[in-house]
Amino acid sequence: GQQVMQIPQYQHVQEGEDFTTYCNSSTTLSNIQWYKQRPGGHPVFLIQLVKSGEVKKQKRLTFQFGEAKKNSSLHITATQTTDVGTYFCAGFDLDSNYQLIWGAGTKLIIKP
Amino acid sequence: DAGVIQSPRHEVTEMGQEVTLRCKPISGHNSLFWYRQTMMRGLELLIYFNNNVPIDDSGMPEDRFSAKMPNASFSTLKIQPSEPRDSAVYFCASSRSGDPPSSGFFRHVGYTFGSGTRLTVV
């Protein structure tokens, strides 16, 4: 079935270091969305990428959508304690009109 | 906007009891989703409503689970009888969309999640 693989599962960084999470889909996606879930919280929509090769920035966060629309990445520059949480990618398969296919998430942990 | 409102926030119940989770979507959103989140299985879509009509309930684990959306501002997820393996966080999410299956508009809207109900069945 359709799958979105997300790696790594966890990433420990020192505050100030960069963080990257990657998503790969087994099928071509019509778009990809990114969500952040704080510990004990709920997923919060961050951004959506639609176009092949698209790059979007939100302050220290950079989101990319691959040329083939099968992979995506989120990069955080100079992490801060407020970045702690789990980052999920989720995409719409070309054949699915409504069901987001979710990655398993990458948990960002800031080392004290 | 108050966002998606779920109740209760926490529920502890004994095995065999009926549990009802409630959700009020954002006004104007016509799509509603029930998700379940566990460490082992991540986020699982249970059921999807569009314009109050259940479109896909293939994610509902078994007959013990049922969901209703009697109007645009309210939905319930019921588990009867509950079992310990039902313990999880249940999220309701809503979004705006065109009618399925052909509306591309649907694909271009992020979901707004409620704060979730943490269910513990002992």
Side-chain angles (χ1 to χ4, degrees), chain A residues 10 30-31 33 35 37 40-45 48 50 88 92-100 102 104, chain B residues 9 33 35 37 39 43 45 48 55-56 91 99-104 106-111 113-115:
Chain A
Y10 301 93
S30 63
N31 64 39
Q33 300 179 358
Y35 292 77
Q37 185 175 20
H42 57 278
V44 174
F45 174 72
Q48 177 170 269
V50 178
F88 292 94
F92 283 107
D93 182 86
L94 282 178
D95 295 327
S96 170
N97 193 50
Y98 61 85
Q99 181 162 174
L100 275 176
W102 290 82
Chain B
R9 287 297 306 274
F33 308 83
Y35 280 90
Q37 187 176 41
M39 288 295 294
L43 272 166
L45 177 65
Y48 156 56
I55 302 300
D56 183 359
F91 288 109
D99 292 329
S102 60
S103 172
F106 182 89
R107 299 175 181 173
H108 300 284
V109 179
Y111 293 3
F113 282 77
S115 298

Side-chain angles (χ1 to χ4, degrees), chain B residues 33-79:
Chain B
F33 308 83
W34 281 100
Y35 280 90
R36 178 172 67 178
Q37 187 176 41
T38 60
M39 288 295 294
M40 291 297 297
R41 300 175 68 90
L43 272 166
E44 301 175 275
L45 177 65
L46 300 177
I47 188 168
Y48 156 56
F49 291 89
N50 184 267
N51 293 326
N52 312 336
V53 176
I55 302 300
D56 183 359
D57 65 355
S58 60
M60 296 285 262
E62 48 200 88
D63 292 345
R64 296 185 298 107
F65 285 68
S66 63
K68 293 181 180 179
M69 192 164 185
N71 56 62
S73 59
F74 185 65
S75 177
T76 59
L77 178 67
K78 186 177 294 186
I79 308 172

Side-chain angles (χ1 to χ4, degrees), chain A residues 21-36:
Chain A
T21 173
Y22 301 90
C23 284
N24 286 288
S25 170
S26 57
T27 58
T28 303
L29 302 171
S30 63
N31 64 39
I32 194 156
Q33 300 179 358
W34 286 90
Y35 292 77
K36 176 184 179 181

Side-chain angles (χ1 to χ4, degrees), chain A residues 53-65:
Chain A
E54 189 169 15
V55 178
K56 286 189 176 180
K57 293 192 175 185
Q58 289 180 349
K59 298 183 180 178
R60 295 177 294 104
L61 279 60
T62 302
F63 304 84
Q64 295 188 349
F65 200 11

